[in-house]
Amino acid sequence: MIWSKEETLPRGELEKLQNARLQETVARVYGNVPFYQNKFKELGITPHDIKSIHDISKLPFTKKQDLRDNYPFGLFAVKQDAVVRIHSSSGTTGKPTVVGYTKSDMDVWNEVMARVFTMCGVNSEDTVHNAYGYGLFTGGLGVHNGAETVGATVVPSSGGFTSRQLLLMKDFGATVLTSTPSFALHLAETAQNEGYDLKNDFKLKCGIFGAEPTSEGLKEEVSRVWGIKYYEVYGLSEIIGPGVSNSCCESKDLHIFEDHFYPEIINPETGEVLQDGEKGELVITSLTKQALPIIRYRTGDITSLDRTPCRCGRTHVRMKSVMGRADDMLIVNGVNVFPSQVEHVLANIDGISLNYQIIADKKGYLDILEVMVEVTEQMPLDSIGALEKLQKDIQAALLNNLYINAKIKLVEPRSIERSMGKAVRVIDKRSI
Ligand SMILES: [Zn+2]
């Protein structure tokens, strides 16, 4: 099932729609947002220079810092009376970033999230257990509204209270779980400890996971322990929230709803636009947003694009699952290392869990890397020989696959701190 006809538009027609919508967006920001008007003037361009989507590279980038500098509402293109919803980031560094929605923006958000649920085969017969956090974070409410739009029954459980969540999932007969992948694993682990039979006590058929970069290994683990199909949703509040793209039944790659969000891939160092298939930073321009239209927003997420036809019938471009953050990338003695790559290597080794932490430090002029990883319950911690062999195997696998020389520290199960939301995978002591 496909929710709307825009998802299958022939590429030519899609491009016509994008051309018209880009021109409207550019006119809107130029006329209503002084920040963009100044940027356009600095570059010597006016809205008349943008005639089609191919002119998009003439436009300036927008960075997260620009939202902070214009805190709270400086980038809004409408007056306050047209805004019906505000969301905000947690603001762990500096001021939070604030985003706003008009009624029409809310319609777009519900529409793209309805496409997401339909893409995952979810309809009015399903019960969605929504464990994304509710509140200022866009995850909870974004997913909630989309599930209601397709007529599903929503259980707005939010995060935390793991034991009670399991009870509700079982008793209410949840068929769909929506959460971060690490919380899905945490739920599974708690369920096992509490004596549930994961495959028979629950009716789950699929999960829609997102909000953190996730390796293939971790996805397979979530899918395996719960016995469900894994779908991935991608989004960020600066663009709309969850619902920018989603994986379909035929592909692990994610269709970007490009009638609303126009994607480009750039070289994060130079800003140069890269070709389809090349890996770089994802940049998105909103094409229909009213309250906070955003031009060439640098997401910081590393991925690549694929415009070849998909068997599901959708014509929208697909992006690879995010491989890492442009700013999460560690450079260790000149080698680029993404946490997700390390995780992928760890996933293929028996005897360890996927709970790990990468610690980068300096010794003299050289970078040193330590990977701390939990062994599984089955691993005999008193067998020095077995642990030493495991350490050597992990070290060799990292060296052979990623060309990094790391010290391996094996620790007891559940000894690395876990968070409900986004796990801290990297500690870079070099920058402290
Ligand atoms: Zn598809």
Side-chain angles (χ1 to χ4, degrees):
M1 279 282 290
I2 293 177
W3 181 258
S4 73
K5 65 175 187 346
E6 280 78 12
E7 293 174 80
T8 56
L9 280 181
R11 298 286 318 172
E13 278 183 50
L14 182 61
E15 199 173 302
K16 269 191 212 154
L17 191 64
Q18 289 171 331
N19 293 344
R21 288 180 168 178
L22 179 67
Q23 283 181 309
E24 283 169 26
T25 299
V26 166
R28 190 176 306 127
V29 297
Y30 190 79
N32 298 293
V33 186
F35 165 81
Y36 281 119
Q37 200 176 71
N38 292 338
K39 284 244 176 185
F40 280 38
K41 281 180 183 157
E42 277 169 31
L43 291 169
I45 54 170
T46 71
H48 299 293
D49 294 311
I50 308 303
K51 298 196 167 53
S52 85
I53 205 80
H54 301 289
D55 294 322
I56 199 163
S57 58
K58 294 178 185 166
L59 295 170
F61 291 118
T62 309
K63 293 181 176 168
K64 198 178 187 76
Q65 189 59 40
D66 297 323
L67 277 95
R68 292 199 180 116
D69 292 345
N70 290 281
Y71 174 88
F73 307 136
L75 295 187
F76 282 20
V78 295
K79 295 208 169 68
Q80 187 269 330
D81 62 355
V83 176
V84 298
R85 176 83 71 81
I86 300 277
H87 278 281
S88 159
S89 74
S90 54
T92 42
T93 50
K95 279 182 185 158
T97 48
V98 179
V99 299
Y101 304 77
T102 63
K103 270 199 174 127
S104 124
D105 295 333
M106 290 304 298
D107 290 343
V108 169
W109 198 8
N110 294 345
E111 152 82 20
V112 289
M113 277 311 298
R115 293 181 188 179
V116 165
F117 278 103
T118 307
M119 213 181 259
C120 306
V122 179
N123 57 38
S124 59
E125 291 177 4
D126 286 294
T127 298
V128 176
H129 186 92
N130 185 17
Y132 283 111
Y134 280 66
L136 285 169
F137 170 56
T138 47
L141 284 164
V143 166
H144 182 111
N145 291 345
E148 279 189 358
T149 305
V150 299
T153 309
V154 192
V155 182
S157 63
S158 198
F161 306 104
T162 315
S163 296
R164 194 182 66 192
Q165 298 228 15
L166 290 165
L167 182 88
L168 300 185
M169 282 169 71
K170 177 170 176 278
D171 292 349
F172 296 178
T175 54
V176 182
L177 172 63
T178 50
S179 73
T180 60
S182 50
F183 191 66
L185 278 184
H186 177 68
L187 276 170
E189 196 177 77
T190 310
Q192 279 159 343
N193 290 340
E194 294 187 1
Y196 285 99
D197 174 345
L198 258 63
K199 295 193 181 134
N200 293 314
D201 284 341
F202 300 95
K203 293 202 183 101
L204 288 184
K205 62 175 190 185
C206 71
I208 307 174
F209 303 106
E212 57 192 16
T214 312
S215 69
E216 279 308 307
L218 200 133
K219 288 179 200 169
E220 281 161 20
E221 182 69 6
V222 171
S223 178
R224 188 188 62 77
V225 290
W226 281 108
I228 57 174
K229 180 147 173 77
Y230 189 111
Y231 288 98
E232 181 172 1
V233 64
Y234 171 82
L236 60 170
S237 55
E238 293 87 340
I239 304 302
I240 195 127
V244 172
S245 64
N246 195 70
S247 64
C248 67
C249 54
E250 297 287 348
S251 165
K252 285 181 177 171
D253 298 343
L254 292 77
H255 287 285
I256 301 176
F257 302 122
E258 55 173 319
D259 50 333
H260 295 291
F261 317 115
Y262 186 81
E264 300 167 88
I265 299 290
I266 62 159
N267 177 329
E269 313 261 296
T270 62
E272 172 207 0
V273 179
L274 302 176
Q275 299 295 311
D276 285 354
E278 287 188 273
K279 197 161 78 170
E281 181 179 351
L282 177 66
V283 167
I284 295 178
T285 300
S286 73
L287 296 177
T288 49
K289 280 217 348 238
Q290 308 285 320
L292 182 66
I294 202 152
I295 303 290
R296 303 189 85 201
Y297 184 71
R298 294 190 58 162
T299 66
D301 289 325
I302 303 288
T303 182
S304 63
L305 297 180
D306 177 1
R307 261 172 256 262
T308 59
C310 182
R311 277 188 303 190
C312 75
R314 292 175 181 83
T315 51
H316 290 186
V317 62
R318 282 172 287 164
M319 61 182 260
K320 289 259 176 252
S321 180
V322 171
M323 299 159 194
R325 300 266 317 154
D327 44 10
D328 260 4
M329 188 178 78
L330 276 169
I331 302 177
V332 181
N333 295 321
V335 178
N336 296 352
V337 182
F338 287 105
S340 58
Q341 294 176 308
V342 172
E343 192 169 306
H344 188 67
V345 170
L346 297 180
N348 289 312
I349 298 172
D350 290 333
I352 51 173
S353 78
L354 282 178
N355 215 26
Y356 67 93
Q357 208 159 49
I358 303 166
I359 301 139
D361 208 344
K362 259 201 178 316
K363 195 172 186 181
Y365 293 109
L366 280 184
D367 296 324
I368 48 169
L369 202 66
E370 180 179 85
V371 178
M372 187 157 73
V373 56
E374 290 178 6
V375 296
T376 56
E377 300 277 2
Q378 292 76 30
M379 193 69 204
L381 279 165
D382 50 357
S383 165
I384 305 289
L387 290 179
E388 273 179 4
K389 180 178 180 305
L390 185 55
Q391 249 168 349
K392 279 195 184 132
D393 288 349
I394 301 171
Q395 206 165 23
L398 288 173
L399 190 61
N400 293 338
N401 290 290
L402 305 178
Y403 313 105
I404 54 172
N405 202 342
K407 191 179 148 206
I408 310 299
K409 186 175 174 188
L410 296 172
V411 295
E412 287 180 27
R414 290 186 300 282
S415 59
I416 298 175
E417 200 181 328
R418 271 165 225 229
S419 71
M420 295 299 179
K422 303 182 183 189
V424 179
R425 294 302 189 199
V426 177
I427 296 176
D428 195 345
K429 293 184 173 169
R430 300 171 301 179
S431 50
I432 296 170

